[in-house]
Amino acid sequence: MTIALERPGPKAAEPGLGRGLLLLMSVATGLSVAGNYFAQPLLDLIGRELRLGTTMAALVVTAAQVGYALGLMLLVPLGDLVERRRLAVTLFGATAGFLVLTAVAPDGRVLLAGTALTALTSVAAQVVVPYAVTLAAPEQRGRVVGTVMTGLLLGGLLARTASGALSELGGWRTVYWVNAVLMVAVAALLWRHLPPLHTPAGLSYPALLRSTFALFRHEPLLRWRAGIGALSLASFNVLWTAITFLLAGRYGWSEFAIGLFGLVGIAGALSTLAAGRLADRGYVQWLTGAGTAVLALSWIAIGAGGASLWWLLGGVLVLNVAQQTVLNANQNVLYALRPEIRNRLNSAFMTAFFAGGAAGSALTSVVWVSAGWTGVSVLGGSLATGTFVLWALERARTR
């Protein structure tokens, strides 16, 4: 059976996207992206075992972001060219293989290659998100985006906790082996339960890529939202790249304890559901404005966290909620623009989004060495303030 691009209403959409299938897609996105975050609480441990310096260890995070950005640019647009179920399952299988490569890495070069390749194919998550949106009724779009993105975000957050816990049991490589097995299982379930979906754009692959980048020229809202997204993830990654060094050094935490700290971000993931419902009610601009303002303010508490664990905890909690609120608002704005090219819109936005995240991670490794937590906090706060400025300029220019 082939699913049409647009569904006429909730009754027609319901068979294509029941609760069980929506849950499976949510879990699948979480497992897909998890491999990009396993290294974050383990940087100190991996660095010691493979004899990497602090800057080199931090580049593992950057490699994941660069690989993901390339996958978004080169692979996600294929959803408008080939059958999406086959594309998603193929990418899940490839991710499993690259997780194994990372698990057996004998040195930093192979580790970086495995990390980047895993991230490249883990963009299967970004094939699944517009897949779910296409199967859903228009009036349910915010809720569906919120549900699938909650799974994706929880995958990233729980990955840090899982990697910290499993490293205590069997070393840092264990979590990569476990996730590889889970990815194979999820690929089989998706092949069995996803309905085929083919929405050909009628373009060659090079033309498809050109049309994706041309969207930045033709869609002003994409430019604004891509800028907001890039700066917001850059700010977010500044925190999660540097916090491992702070907790291991200043507070003397173990890898397991650092991984548990990632659970603070669950509040941000769960807030995505509420943000999705508010977006369905027409509050997208309000969500963006409030989210970007709170994102900037959270860095005041995070900066104080260099001397107080409670300030750090509170600041990280607020930053996670704000970041996910802004992301959900951005996606709802873009998915409503042109339904027939959702994969390319998602590709263009997410490429900019993760390119910003990669830049944030790379800058953090330099700033941490030269200016410590104070410099990191200034960097993160400046990037977050930029998101609010861009939103204010968007509102002034597009009204």
Side-chain angles (χ1 to χ4, degrees):
M1 141 179 147
T2 300
I3 303 298
L5 180 62
E6 288 299 316
R7 313 296 296 209
K11 289 185 179 179
E14 192 175 16
L17 192 60
R19 289 184 179 179
L21 181 55
L22 182 58
L23 177 61
L24 173 60
M25 296 174 88
S26 182
V27 171
T29 60
L31 287 174
S32 180
V33 301
N36 301 331
Y37 300 95
F38 289 147
Q40 289 187 0
L42 306 176
L43 292 178
D44 191 56
L45 178 63
I46 293 172
R48 292 198 307 271
E49 181 174 324
L50 299 183
R51 299 181 180 180
L52 309 178
T54 299
T55 300
M56 182 67 170
L59 284 177
V60 175
V61 178
T62 303
Q65 298 296 329
V66 171
Y68 203 77
L70 287 173
L72 289 164
M73 179 173 59
L74 300 175
L75 300 180
V76 172
L78 287 171
D80 286 335
L81 189 64
V82 302
E83 199 277 307
R84 291 193 209 177
R85 181 178 67 171
R86 183 175 289 106
L87 174 62
V89 171
T90 299
L91 291 174
F92 271 85
T95 302
F98 293 134
L99 283 165
V100 171
L101 175 64
T102 306
V104 301
D107 54 40
R109 289 177 299 175
V110 177
L111 177 68
L112 286 174
T115 299
L117 290 170
T118 297
L120 179 77
T121 55
S122 71
V123 295
Q126 296 302 333
V127 174
V128 171
V129 174
Y131 202 144
V133 171
T134 300
L135 294 177
E139 63 271 20
Q140 297 173 337
R141 188 176 297 135
R143 180 181 66 84
V144 168
V145 171
T147 301
V148 179
M149 288 301 297
T150 295
L152 187 151
L153 298 168
L154 284 175
L157 293 167
L158 295 178
R160 300 180 179 100
T161 303
S163 63
L166 289 174
S167 71
E168 297 281 334
L169 297 175
W172 66 266
R173 301 174 191 271
T174 306
V175 69
Y176 292 98
W177 286 110
V178 170
N179 197 37
V181 172
L182 292 175
M183 288 294 288
V184 172
V186 165
L189 287 171
L190 289 174
W191 181 256
R192 179 178 177 82
H193 295 290
L194 275 179
L197 177 60
H198 194 195
T199 56
L203 300 172
S204 66
Y205 179 63
L208 192 72
L209 293 182
R210 288 195 298 272
S211 71
T212 300
F213 288 103
L215 291 174
F216 284 108
R217 185 170 67 251
H218 299 304
E219 299 289 344
L221 275 177
L222 173 61
R223 293 196 296 271
W224 288 112
R225 292 292 163 159
I228 292 170
L231 288 177
S232 69
L233 189 63
S235 176
F236 186 77
N237 278 4
V238 166
L239 170 72
W240 287 107
T241 301
I243 201 168
T244 300
F245 302 121
L246 177 70
L247 292 176
R250 168 70 174 80
Y251 294 106
W253 284 23
S254 67
E255 285 76 23
F256 177 61
I258 295 171
L260 285 177
F261 195 86
L263 293 176
V264 174
I266 288 179
L270 295 178
S271 70
T272 304
L273 290 171
R277 292 190 176 93
L278 287 171
D280 284 338
R281 296 175 185 174
Y283 294 105
V284 169
Q285 291 298 340
W286 181 88
L287 286 170
T288 311
T292 52
V294 172
L295 187 72
L297 292 172
S298 69
W299 277 98
I300 298 174
I302 292 170
S308 168
L309 191 59
W310 288 110
W311 277 107
L312 182 66
L313 183 65
V316 172
L317 178 65
V318 172
L319 178 136
N320 273 272
V321 171
Q323 161 64 17
Q324 307 315 336
T325 297
V326 172
L327 175 58
N328 186 275
N330 284 336
Q331 288 178 304
N332 273 282
V333 168
L334 295 176
Y335 287 149
L337 282 179
R338 294 172 62 186
E340 74 278 9
I341 57 167
R342 281 196 184 115
N343 276 283
R344 277 171 282 170
L345 280 169
N346 193 50
S347 172
F349 170 74
M350 285 294 179
T351 298
F353 184 64
F354 281 95
S361 298
L363 286 171
T364 303
S365 63
V366 175
V367 173
W368 173 263
V369 172
S370 59
W373 190 251
T374 300
V376 164
S377 299
V378 171
L379 173 62
S382 299
L383 292 167
T385 301
T387 66
F388 181 79
V389 172
L390 281 184
W391 171 75
L393 289 172
E394 177 206 310
R395 298 309 297 149
R397 298 285 179 87
T398 59
R399 280 178 180 173

